Amino acid sequence: MSPLSLRAERATLGYGDHAVCTGLDLDVRAGEFLVVAGPSGCGKSTLLRAFAGLLRPSGGAVTAGGETITGPSPDRALVFQDDALLPWRSARRNVELPLAIRGVPRNARRAEAAEWLARVGLADAVRRLPRQLSGGMRQRVQLARALAGRPRALLMDEPFGALDAQTRAAMQRLLLDVLADAPATVVFVTHDVDEALLLGDRVVVLGRRGVALDADVPAAPDDTLRARVLAALGARTGEEVR
Amino acid sequence: MTLALDEPRAAAQERPAPKPRKRGSRRLVRAAALVAALALWHLLTAANARLGLRFDRLPGPEDVAREFGRQLQTGQYWQDVAQSLVRIVSGFALAAALGVALGVAVARSRWADDLLSPLLEVVRPIPAIALVPVAILLFPKNEQGIVFITFVAAFFPILVSTRHAVRALPTVWADAVRTLGGGRARVLLSVVLPGILPGVFGGLSVGMGVAWICVVSAEMISGDFGVGYRTWQAYTIVDYPGVLVGMITIGVLGRVTSGAVELAGRRVTRWLPGEEER
């Protein structure tokens, strides 16, 4: 399955009458790792929900691979910041979920789920319930569950936002590592500038009036780009920038 | 410097935490409380006390115990118990199945909500026991009427708690399943039904309590058998120890069935946080 391109064209996104962002234009190239940063309430999560098909734009269009997104699809997996694992299912049974939906027979999906968990370093935790796992482990299960569905695009909403610095760094390495074997377009939302520059091929800063900065990240990012991102995030949001 | 650091520790030593009584001694106190109540009952009835309340007419614990022992050896007692249990179990099972099904339907489908909710809201405030005349008219057999009353009694608490549990489910679980490719049926089976169990079991516990109230009342009004019928029967033939035996039997049966519901509830909601210690 080839990575999927995503696109927002003059998109107005919001809930009910309340538009979070209006007339947003954004192109996500197939296979790239795009990091979206921006102050709270500028529509980062809303944009991801629209790409996931959980939210219809009230104006403009949101497309995947050139086709209008009309609803959720296993092609586009969403990894949530808060705990989206089903608490009554063990780690393995959570990872089995996309496989069961796809109709993979029981034994095959058990084996495959166990493989994915081993891939994210949780071979020993297959039988544990989410509440028996640490925050970092739960996010690894979520990542394994998303990847088990073999998505062509991975939408990640501050997936490591609630983790401590050390766990976070380990998760960032793991993510890049796993993506090397399972290529997908990634849209990754974060508040953290360093995380953005470390992970992204490209970084976009969303402001109240659409895209405030759109820059490719070089292999060895210099302080100039960091300064530009910080400037785009604006002094007012300084407290959110680590 | 070291002195200052040591100070809080010294202060803590001065006020030791109250020592929790040991488990065994607590049990002893609890048992003693029961024994004391029995002794008081015995004293009041043996002395034929009339302290505003007329204990001279109330049978004492010995009379009740003797009567209980006698009844336990009769086939009739066990037939009554079995009859009441069959009524409770069938009424309650119907209420659980329909209450959960309709509760989920009303909470998840606008059509079901518009079609069913007005009717349900009109009937809900009527106490199930007030439906006895209607049940007698509607059902050809007495038995069916009593099961119907029991069903109605348990149905509404189960329906209401199910509906609430569905509406209170965090949307993130359903969103996660949908983005993994799951449709409505998959969300229902994998998210809604397991997710509402804690709330549903709350309703089942309440439902079981009300079901007993209503089965006993219905038996008293229109039964031919059953613990409630036998208790009322004992009263009409001035067999007061028999009345108390009936009451105690109802209490024990209620406790056992509620305990069974609670146990089942804990079994299926082991995933809840904080259930480890249980």
Side-chain angles (χ1 to χ4, degrees):
Chain A
M1 286 285 222
S2 57
L4 198 61
S5 65
L6 299 165
R7 186 186 185 117
E9 285 169 64
R10 312 203 53 74
T12 299
L13 305 172
Y15 305 91
D17 288 338
H18 173 66
V20 180
C21 63
T22 37
L24 178 71
D25 279 305
L26 183 68
D27 245 317
V28 188
R29 299 185 283 261
E32 80 173 335
F33 195 127
L34 173 70
V35 178
V36 178
S40 298
C42 73
K44 305 185 300 290
S45 299
T46 316
L47 176 67
L48 279 195
R49 290 180 69 82
F51 280 147
L54 292 173
L55 178 83
R56 295 255 187 118
S58 46
V62 180
T63 62
E67 285 172 38
T68 304
I69 294 171
T70 54
S73 146
D75 275 351
R76 292 168 266 119
L78 184 56
V79 174
F80 301 78
Q81 171 178 23
D82 46 341
D83 208 347
L85 296 176
L86 302 182
W88 49 86
R89 283 181 171 236
S90 67
R92 194 195 63 211
R93 298 237 306 125
N94 261 289
V95 179
E96 277 182 42
L97 202 57
L99 304 168
I101 291 169
R102 215 201 293 146
V104 177
R106 189 173 210 176
N107 286 334
R109 70 176 188 244
R110 280 194 172 183
E112 203 177 331
E115 263 170 49
W116 277 110
L117 282 169
R119 190 72 191 81
V120 297
L122 290 177
D124 297 337
V126 284
R127 286 167 176 277
R128 288 208 229 159
L129 289 171
R131 69 177 167 85
Q132 296 165 323
L133 301 169
S134 69
M137 289 162 102
R138 284 203 292 269
Q139 286 309 75
R140 279 192 272 170
V141 177
Q142 249 206 94
L143 182 61
R145 183 173 74 176
L147 292 172
R150 302 195 180 280
R152 300 168 64 196
L154 195 55
L155 311 164
M156 307 185 82
D157 192 359
E158 296 188 53
F160 311 144
L163 305 180
D164 62 83
Q166 209 177 345
T167 315
R168 189 173 199 163
M171 289 294 296
Q172 289 162 350
R173 278 195 302 275
L174 175 72
L175 175 64
L176 292 176
D177 205 25
V178 174
L179 281 170
D181 305 338
T185 309
V186 181
V187 183
F188 189 105
V189 164
T190 184
H191 279 304
D192 185 329
V193 180
D194 295 320
E195 186 169 67
L197 298 182
L198 173 74
L199 294 174
D201 300 326
R202 180 179 154 213
V203 56
V204 161
V205 176
L206 284 187
R208 311 257 171 219
R209 284 176 296 280
V211 176
L213 172 96
D214 185 342
D216 286 326
V217 181
D222 48 10
D223 285 346
T224 351
L225 181 56
R226 196 185 140 83
R228 281 175 63 207
V229 173
L230 283 172
L233 281 168
R236 231 159 36 86
T237 62
E239 71 273 10
E240 283 164 17
V241 179
R242 278 168 222 182
Chain B
M1 202 57 207
T2 39
L3 249 174
L5 272 173
D6 280 341
E7 243 166 18
R9 210 180 297 163
Q13 270 169 359
E14 272 169 36
R15 284 182 279 112
K19 221 187 231 167
R21 275 179 294 151
K22 285 202 188 98
R23 219 177 173 161
S25 81
R26 289 197 65 185
R27 284 217 177 130
L28 215 63
V29 172
R30 282 157 180 264
L34 276 179
V35 171
L38 274 174
L40 185 65
W41 177 15
H42 168 77
L43 284 175
L44 287 168
T45 48
N48 285 328
R50 298 176 72 161
L51 309 157
L53 296 172
R54 299 197 47 187
F55 289 99
D56 52 339
R57 290 194 299 202
L58 193 73
E62 318 77 10
D63 304 331
V64 175
R66 205 176 307 119
E67 174 63 14
F68 215 144
R70 190 191 65 76
Q71 284 204 24
L72 283 178
Q73 283 154 30
T74 62
Q76 184 186 269
Y77 177 83
W78 295 107
Q79 193 191 1
D80 285 334
V81 167
Q83 189 76 43
S84 291
L85 277 176
V86 165
R87 287 165 177 164
I88 271 283
V89 169
S90 22
F92 183 75
L94 275 174
L98 263 172
V100 171
L102 292 186
V104 170
V106 163
R108 279 179 63 78
S109 146
R110 198 168 298 170
W111 266 105
D113 192 16
D114 290 344
L115 283 174
L116 295 170
S117 290
L119 179 67
L120 294 171
E121 290 310 311
V122 166
V123 180
R124 185 151 77 102
I126 305 173
I129 201 65
L131 295 175
V132 165
V134 180
I136 293 174
L137 289 178
L138 275 179
F139 291 95
K141 284 189 191 155
N142 225 347
E143 197 56 36
Q144 298 164 332
I146 295 177
V147 171
F148 172 73
I149 298 293
T150 316
F151 156 74
V152 173
F155 172 74
F156 284 105
I158 298 172
L159 171 91
V160 171
S161 59
T162 302
R163 189 178 58 187
H164 178 78
V166 174
R167 288 183 178 156
L169 270 182
T171 50
V172 66
W173 295 334
D175 284 349
V177 168
R178 290 175 63 207
T179 56
L180 294 170
R184 249 176 110 84
R186 170 61 68 171
V187 169
L188 180 68
L189 284 176
S190 295
V191 176
V192 176
L193 292 182
I196 61 175
L197 283 178
V200 167
F201 268 91
L204 291 177
S205 283
V206 176
M208 184 54 94
V210 208
W212 270 108
I213 296 175
C214 288
V215 84
V216 167
S217 316
E219 283 177 350
M220 285 181 170
I221 297 170
S222 72
D224 300 325
F225 293 104
V227 185
Y229 166 78
R230 197 64 59 198
T231 306
W232 192 251
Q233 189 67 14
Y235 176 73
T236 55
I237 59 170
V238 213
D239 170 17
Y240 297 137
V243 172
L244 271 92
V245 168
M247 283 168 44
I248 294 167
T249 306
I250 293 164
V252 170
L253 290 177
R255 176 80 198 226
V256 168
T257 46
S258 301
V261 170
E262 206 150 292
L263 194 71
R266 279 190 203 170
R267 284 253 159 136
V268 298
T269 57
R270 283 219 179 116
W271 49 271
L272 282 176
E275 298 286 294
E276 202 111 49
E277 312 77 38
R278 281 190 177 174

